[in-house]
């Protein structure tokens, strides 16, 4: 009958091999990183804005009703309101 050796005779061989393995593991301590391109960031921002726009109603009915009520009141349209509105329109155009 023939018996083959399964390992080395020296019991310290296994300790030396584990020390080498831990030394190699200690050297490879670099961490993973992810970088996102500017184009991908812009695309994500555009996607987010389009989703917000889809969820936002086109007309704010509450404000429209409030403005209609103000305009229908004859005492609302006076020279101060007209002048204030004209100033706001002119400043929005940069004048």
């Amino acid at each position: 009958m023939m018996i083959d050796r399964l390992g080395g005779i020296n019991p310290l061989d296994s300790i030396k091999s584990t020390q080498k393995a831990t030394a190699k593991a200690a050297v490879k301590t670099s961490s993973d990183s992810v970088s996102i391109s500017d184009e991908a960031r812009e695309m994500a921002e555009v996607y987010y804005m389009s989703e917000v726009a889809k969820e936002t109603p086109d007309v704010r009915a509450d404000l429209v009703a409030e403005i209609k009520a103000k305009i229908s009141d004859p005492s609302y349209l006076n020279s101060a309101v007209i002048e204030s509105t004209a100033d706001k329109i002119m400043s929005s155009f940069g004048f």
Side-chain angles (χ1 to χ4, degrees), residues 7-28:
I9 297 174
N10 189 357
L12 297 177
D13 285 340
S14 63
I15 294 173
K16 289 179 184 176
S17 65
T18 57
Q19 287 176 347
K20 288 179 184 177
T22 56
K24 287 182 183 177
V27 172
K28 294 184 179 183

Side-chain angles (χ1 to χ4, degrees), residues 68-93:
K68 281 184 180 181
K70 285 182 179 179
I71 291 174
S72 65
D73 183 18
S75 65
Y76 177 73
L77 291 175
N78 56 32
S79 62
V81 171
I82 294 171
E83 189 173 324
S84 172
T85 304
D87 288 340
K88 289 179 183 177
I89 291 172
M90 295 298 278
S91 65
S92 71
F93 286 120

